[in-house]
């Protein structure tokens, strides 16, 4: 049995359903050996996840998922194996959380104008102190019966084209990559098939990403299929990027993402973990390849 990696997951510190410790225990129970916690725009859950990982015999990789604006699109860049104490990274993430709070006020204003009052207060309760996101508004809309499920909340209200969508200016691509590198981490393009890019746009994006010092791309994701993985492996080879795997787990009730339940990397990929110095993690990994 090989080592089971899952290098993209969320806790309640952003828009996941489980606390960092619960997430680690759940991932371990699902067979994950090496887990990256990659909350949106925060590293607040890392310390708790690390402590829980020590107790459950799981190797935790400190991570983050940074919101980026590139060519009028929102792109997510995952940082893996970062040092959360990096001041430059933390200053950048604090700025993004401020953008999130401003956006939340505007979303709530628009919902109120659509006859849906009280959204900010409710979303803030779901969000807690750290990161407020559209998932928290989606939960409010579902629980108050305005829509049947989160998918419809995004389609009708919160997503691009929805009546209460608010566009925000997130981090620049080179800026986000620089924060991750300053923190000693490797920058990885999250769920690349989710951005509806043509091949030409994807190439231009990957050229900029690699020129900025980006190092990896999610080839296997809970959010794409085997054929897409083969296409992404070809991009990884073309641009000299290493390959990552991650479920993008948010909640146990989302049956389509189970921590660690991921296809194998297609042949010819350099896995992201091959670039990690063995001394840093090998002794913490409980299962050998
Ligand atoms: P935010 O970063 O606050 O703009 O929210 C993005 C998050 O919303 C993603 O990470 C997903 O968790 C969730 N999300 C985005 N689009 C959808 C959708 N169509 N249906 C359900 N959840 C979505
Ligand atoms: Mn999310
Ligand atoms: Mn994402
Ligand atoms: Mn994610």
């Amino acid at each position: 049995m090989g080592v089971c990696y899952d290098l993209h997951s969320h806790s309640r510190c952003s828009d996941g359903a489980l606390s960092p410790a619960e997430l680690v225990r759940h991932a371990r129970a699902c067979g994950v050996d090496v887990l990256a916690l990659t909350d949106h725009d925060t590293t607040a859950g890392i310390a708790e996840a690390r402590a829980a990982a020590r107790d459950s015999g799981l190797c935790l990789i400190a991570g983050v998922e940074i919101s980026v604006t590139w060519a009028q699109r929102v792109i997510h860049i995952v940082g893996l194996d970062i040092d959360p104490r990096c001041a430059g990274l933390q200053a950048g993430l604090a700025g993004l959380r401020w953008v999130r709070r401003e956006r939340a006020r505007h979303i709530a204003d628009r919902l109120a104008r659509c006859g849906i009052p009280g959204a900010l207060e409710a979303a803030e309760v779901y969000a807690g102190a750290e990161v407020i996101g559209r998932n928290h508004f989606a939960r409010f809309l579902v629980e108050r019966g305005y829509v049947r499920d989160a998918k419809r909340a995004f389609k009708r209200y919160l997503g691009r084209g929805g009546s209460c969508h608010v566009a925000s200016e997130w981090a620049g691509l080179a800026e986000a990559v620089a924060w991750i590198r300053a923190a000693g981490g490797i920058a990885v393009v999250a769920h690349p098939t989710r951005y509806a890019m043509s091949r030409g746009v994807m190439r231009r994006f990957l050229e900029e990403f690699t020129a900025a010092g980006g190092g990896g791309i999610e080839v296997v994701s809970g959010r794409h299929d085997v054929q897409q993985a083969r296409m992404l492996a070809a991009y990884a080879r073309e641009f000299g990027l290493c390959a990552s795997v991650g479920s993008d787990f948010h909640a146990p009730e989302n049956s389509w993402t189970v921590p660690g339940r991921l296809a194998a990397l297609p042949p010819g990929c350099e896995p992201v973990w091959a670039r990690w110095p063995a001394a840093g993690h090998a002794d913490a990994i409980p299962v050998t390849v």
Side-chain angles (χ1 to χ4, degrees), residues 10 15 40 65 67 76 100 103 132-135 150-151 154-155 170 194 223 248 250:
H10 295 272
D15 58 2
H40 297 283
E65 182 173 15
S67 312
H76 286 173
R100 284 179 169 280
R103 180 184 66 165
I132 189 157
R134 286 182 294 167
N135 264 339
K151 201 172 157 209
F154 276 88
K155 193 167 164 52
W170 304 104
R194 302 273 300 175
R223 293 176 173 268
D248 203 3
H250 281 74

Side-chain angles (χ1 to χ4, degrees), residues 140-248:
F140 160 78
L141 290 167
V142 172
E143 289 191 1
R144 300 289 167 92
Y146 291 107
V147 286
R148 198 136 38 100
D149 53 31
K151 201 172 157 209
R152 286 178 174 82
F154 276 88
K155 193 167 164 52
R156 188 151 162 210
Y157 295 107
L158 304 168
R160 242 165 77 163
S163 58
C164 301
H165 179 258
V166 175
S168 300
E169 189 67 25
W170 304 104
L173 178 62
E175 198 175 25
V177 172
W179 298 339
I180 291 166
R181 285 168 60 105
I186 177 164
V188 173
V189 183
H191 41 65
T193 59
R194 302 273 300 175
Y195 310 123
M197 290 187 196
S198 66
R199 295 181 80 81
V201 174
M202 179 70 100
R203 283 222 162 72
R204 192 157 62 81
F205 169 71
L206 292 176
E207 267 160 29
E208 274 190 42
F209 177 69
T210 46
I217 182 166
E218 278 180 1
V219 166
V220 170
S221 162
R223 293 176 173 268
H224 37 75
D225 61 30
V226 172
Q227 193 162 347
Q228 290 173 315
R230 278 202 290 269
M231 175 192 77
L232 292 165
Y235 279 123
R237 279 193 297 275
E238 179 181 345
F239 288 89
L241 295 166
C242 61
S244 188
V245 303
S247 63
D248 203 3

